Amino acid sequence: ITPQITIEGEKDGVNKSLTITQINPIDNAEMAYIPAGEFLMGSVDSDFHALDSEKPQHAVYLNAFWIYKTEVTYKQYKKCVENGACTLPIKTDAYNNESFSDYPIEYVNWEQAKTYCEWAKGRLPTEAEWEKAARGIDARKYPWGNREPLPDYLNYKDSKKEGPVAVGSYPKGASPYGVLDMAGNVQEWVEDWYSGDYYHISPKENPKGPESGNARALRGGSWRFAAPVVRAAMRLYLMPASSEYDFREIGFRCVRNE
């Protein structure tokens, strides 16, 4: 990447950390810089919303990386299709409707998400990378902090939108690094195979998930989920491809190495 870096300070009274961004020239996506270092991944036993798959909470060290500030949009995905690298989403109603250009792409399986990120000279984030970008280093419950969700922070069940909205619609819900839409809107594919007990054996540095599995991990929750399911530590999963499921409300974002 040829860096086109901008540095921001406090934003909307919520994101008080230093935010460094640059543009991916391939798809014009804005990316936020996540510095190298350690963070706390998973949930503590005292969190009664936490699932066993989120435990134990453990320290993880990650190398620095860049992550898309928002989910990949229909407009961006269409560019990949037109380039011949990507295939059409499983359902194309919104894809063919210009009014959804800035909405997150849906109806894509894991392989389609992976292919897009590779076309954009990146990759899908690992679970650990996604979670650090979402919650920072202070083990906060949600991207914006520990305050329970409100409809002006994210698109979730209580927002009553009945579907996704345009990416970046909730600046108050930004993570400490200025990353948007990491709670609600659409669920997001990540790189890892899913295992419910992986945290018991996860390496401390740059974990990449199990070597094999049947399902891929999903993060972030969606517009139809209640507050406990859009927590930053929440882990869900789905088969990476299916002839029976259309992958509605499932999108993704990409990362690039430093």
Side-chain angles (χ1 to χ4, degrees):
I1 307 172
T2 302
Q4 303 174 41
I5 297 175
T6 60
I7 300 176
E8 304 167 354
E10 184 169 335
K11 190 174 183 180
D12 294 304
V14 175
N15 176 26
K16 298 180 173 64
S17 67
L18 192 66
T19 300
I20 303 173
T21 64
Q22 67 177 359
I23 302 298
N24 182 344
I26 295 174
D27 59 3
N28 206 38
E30 188 175 12
M31 303 181 295
Y33 182 69
I34 313 298
E38 197 171 89
F39 83 108
L40 289 174
M41 186 173 186
S43 298
V44 295
D45 288 338
S46 59
D47 184 349
F48 65 88
H49 284 133
L51 305 179
D52 287 344
S53 62
E54 301 169 32
K55 303 171 186 176
Q57 189 174 83
H58 56 291
V60 170
Y61 177 91
L62 294 177
N63 296 336
F65 60 96
W66 297 87
I67 189 167
Y68 282 26
K69 283 189 72 174
T70 67
E71 298 133 347
V72 170
T73 64
Y74 278 103
K75 178 169 59 181
Q76 291 167 326
Y77 193 85
K78 185 174 290 189
K79 185 176 180 182
C80 182
V81 173
E82 292 171 348
N83 186 260
C86 291
T87 56
L88 289 170
I90 293 159
K91 286 192 173 181
T92 57
D93 290 354
Y95 177 87
N96 291 323
N97 187 335
E98 287 295 324
S99 63
F100 288 94
S101 292
D102 293 323
Y103 282 55
I105 183 72
E106 298 178 84
Y107 304 105
V108 289
N109 64 32
W110 183 87
E111 291 287 348
Q112 289 176 299
K114 179 176 182 285
T115 297
Y116 178 95
C117 289
E118 290 173 348
W119 168 77
K121 298 296 188 287
R123 56 183 173 79
L124 287 169
T126 65
E127 276 203 88
E129 288 170 336
W130 191 98
E131 188 167 324
K132 182 177 182 180
R135 70 193 307 200
I137 61 174
D138 59 5
R140 59 183 58 192
K141 195 171 182 180
Y142 301 101
W144 55 86
N146 292 316
R147 178 185 296 178
E148 288 300 305
L150 294 169
D152 57 346
Y153 279 72
L154 75 161
N155 179 18
Y156 72 129
K157 184 177 181 180
D158 288 356
S159 303
K160 303 187 187 305
K161 297 291 186 184
E162 300 302 323
V165 297
V167 300
S169 294
Y170 295 90
K172 285 186 177 182
S175 84
Y177 304 107
V179 188
L180 301 169
D181 304 327
M182 299 202 84
N185 216 25
V186 295
Q187 300 182 73
E188 300 181 20
W189 287 117
V190 292
E191 176 69 28
D192 305 29
W193 289 109
Y194 174 83
S195 170
D197 58 4
Y198 180 68
Y199 288 5
H200 293 278
I201 60 169
S202 173
K204 181 175 180 179
E205 295 190 10
N206 301 304
K208 299 183 184 302
E211 292 184 4
S212 62
N214 296 316
R216 296 285 183 176
L218 290 167
R219 288 303 196 111
S222 80
W223 57 268
R224 67 183 178 88
F225 291 153
V229 196
V230 298
R231 292 174 299 107
M234 181 71 182
R235 304 176 69 207
L236 296 173
Y237 58 91
L238 198 61
M239 298 292 286
S242 172
S243 61
E244 299 176 358
Y245 186 69
D246 61 15
F247 299 99
R248 69 185 181 96
E249 75 189 53
I250 296 175
F252 64 96
R253 70 182 76 217
C254 307
V255 300
R256 295 181 75 158
N257 295 337
E258 185 184 21

